[in-house]
Amino acid sequence: MSRNCVFTQVFVNLQKMKGTLNSTHLNSFRTLRISSVISNDINNEVPSNTSHQQYDMFYPGHISTSLFQKSLLAAGSGIACLLNPARDDMLCALGETTGPLALKYIHSKMMSDSVGRQILEEKPVINTTTINLEKLGSLPDGTFGKEYWTFLKTNGFSPDARRPVNFIDDAELMYVMLRYRQCHDLVHTLLGMPPNMLGEVAVKWFEAIQTRLPMCISAALFGPIRLGPKHRRKYFDIYLPWAIRSAYNSKFLMNVYFEKHWEQDITEFRQELNLEPAPVPLIKTGKNTKTK
């Protein structure tokens, strides 16, 4: 896919959301009709006979962008995420365009740890080619691998659904972002939180404290706005204090080689990580979320 197509698609997606917004939101969105500006800017900067070479300058799939272009992407994707947090394409664009400093911090933390260095050297990826989901499903109940398999099956998720990285201008930091992205469901599993609004906000607080990623910080701060009164009370009384406490006390999870712990008892694994599971676990029932 060309750079022009990718940028155009990002902002076309924003425009498609107009039908669900009121007139005030529509007026705001009119100020973000900038896809043609970005496309023209790229055309002026990169000669057509070198576009393919530039595309793969750092890694396959990389899209070269200027600071100005990244700023436009960050603004547009940020607004889209506030309006519809389910837009994973917008979340990914926001995370990549605002995350380099935090990714350098994560990378330094990984380099200072023996397991973290091993992960950076071997660069494992998590998808259906590298892990055997059928085998995970056959593991005994209570093992980390079986709990992860249950999480995926219950929510209809697949490890293959995680998007590739495009806008990070460093191959090493690109892998750090990819690793964070692919481990997100594993963090959900360890914390015992479902992928609904309350669960996502709690997990984002945990990730924000551990990774310092601006995307996680923004989601943690603004996500509670979308909670209903009942869940908002539970969030402030139970889940927010727990998420903050657990994030500070537990091992830095980006230094965990999760794939080597599939057969380990999840309670034992949590104890090794000094990870405190949710004090009142959430269970998902249809469209509703209840506390046990």
Side-chain angles (χ1 to χ4, degrees):
M1 183 182 292
S2 70
R3 282 181 294 278
N4 293 357
C5 292
V6 172
F7 281 114
T8 301
Q9 184 62 43
V10 169
F11 292 99
V12 164
N13 286 338
L14 289 175
Q15 297 299 315
K16 287 180 180 178
M17 298 171 65
K18 284 183 176 180
T20 64
L21 303 175
N22 57 32
S23 59
T24 301
H25 288 145
L26 287 177
N27 289 333
S28 298
F29 260 120
R30 290 191 180 103
T31 64
L32 292 172
R33 300 176 66 179
I34 54 179
S35 57
S36 61
V37 174
I38 295 178
S39 297
N40 291 336
D41 197 21
I42 292 175
N43 283 333
N44 291 334
E45 290 181 6
V46 182
S48 59
N49 62 343
T50 62
S51 60
H52 179 73
Q53 186 178 24
Q54 290 291 323
Y55 188 87
D56 289 342
M57 182 170 60
F58 289 108
Y59 51 85
H62 173 258
I63 300 173
S64 297
T65 50
S66 67
L67 178 61
F68 175 68
Q69 292 160 354
K70 283 184 172 64
S71 299
L72 293 180
L73 278 170
S77 58
I79 292 175
C81 291
L82 286 174
L83 296 172
N84 185 0
R87 292 292 303 274
D88 64 327
D89 53 343
M90 297 292 100
L91 283 169
C92 290
L94 179 63
E96 293 174 31
T97 53
T98 62
L101 288 178
L103 293 173
K104 290 178 182 178
Y105 164 76
I106 297 170
H107 185 269
S108 67
K109 293 271 288 184
M110 295 178 75
M111 286 298 294
S112 66
D113 181 86
S114 60
V115 177
R117 285 196 303 275
Q118 182 183 7
I119 293 171
L120 290 175
E121 290 170 2
E122 298 179 2
K123 292 181 171 52
V125 295
I126 299 175
N127 55 41
T128 53
T129 301
T130 60
I131 62 174
N132 188 335
L133 290 179
E134 183 177 349
K135 181 179 179 180
L136 295 185
S138 67
L139 292 174
D141 291 341
T143 57
F144 174 56
K146 182 62 173 286
E147 292 296 320
Y148 173 58
W149 176 86
T150 301
F151 177 87
L152 295 176
K153 183 179 180 182
T154 300
N155 296 289
F157 292 165
S158 168
D160 295 335
R162 292 298 170 185
R163 292 178 177 270
V165 179
N166 299 119
F167 300 112
I168 302 296
D169 298 332
D170 183 284
E172 196 74 4
L173 297 183
M174 177 278 291
Y175 175 74
V176 174
M177 174 59 84
L178 181 66
R179 180 68 178 177
Y180 156 76
R181 197 171 283 172
Q182 293 184 340
C183 290
H184 179 71
D185 288 341
L186 298 172
V187 176
H188 269 278
T189 302
L190 281 173
L191 294 178
M193 301 300 286
N196 52 36
M197 183 55 64
L198 180 54
E200 287 291 354
V201 170
V203 171
K204 279 294 181 284
W205 267 109
F206 184 97
E207 293 178 336
I209 291 170
Q210 288 222 335
T211 68
R212 302 183 184 179
L213 283 166
M215 178 267 295
C216 296
I217 296 171
S218 299
L221 291 175
F222 294 106
I225 296 173
R226 302 179 67 90
L227 294 174
K230 181 179 178 181
H231 282 168
R232 192 175 296 119
R233 285 195 301 270
K234 292 180 181 295
Y235 165 73
F236 283 112
D237 293 343
I238 300 173
Y239 297 103
L240 176 59
W242 156 74
I244 295 173
R245 182 175 64 249
S246 187
Y248 277 117
N249 292 337
S250 72
K251 179 180 175 67
F252 186 63
L253 294 191
M254 288 293 289
N255 286 336
V256 178
Y257 213 135
F258 293 104
E259 299 90 325
K260 297 182 181 295
H261 296 273
W262 297 133
E263 299 181 10
Q264 187 173 1
D265 179 82
I266 192 169
T267 300
E268 177 185 298
F269 191 24
R270 286 167 174 159
Q271 291 173 347
E272 283 185 10
L273 300 175
N274 199 31
L275 183 66
E276 178 187 349
V280 184
L282 291 170
I283 57 175
K284 188 174 182 180
T285 57
K287 294 183 179 179
N288 301 314
T289 300
K290 300 179 179 179
T291 52
K292 288 182 179 179

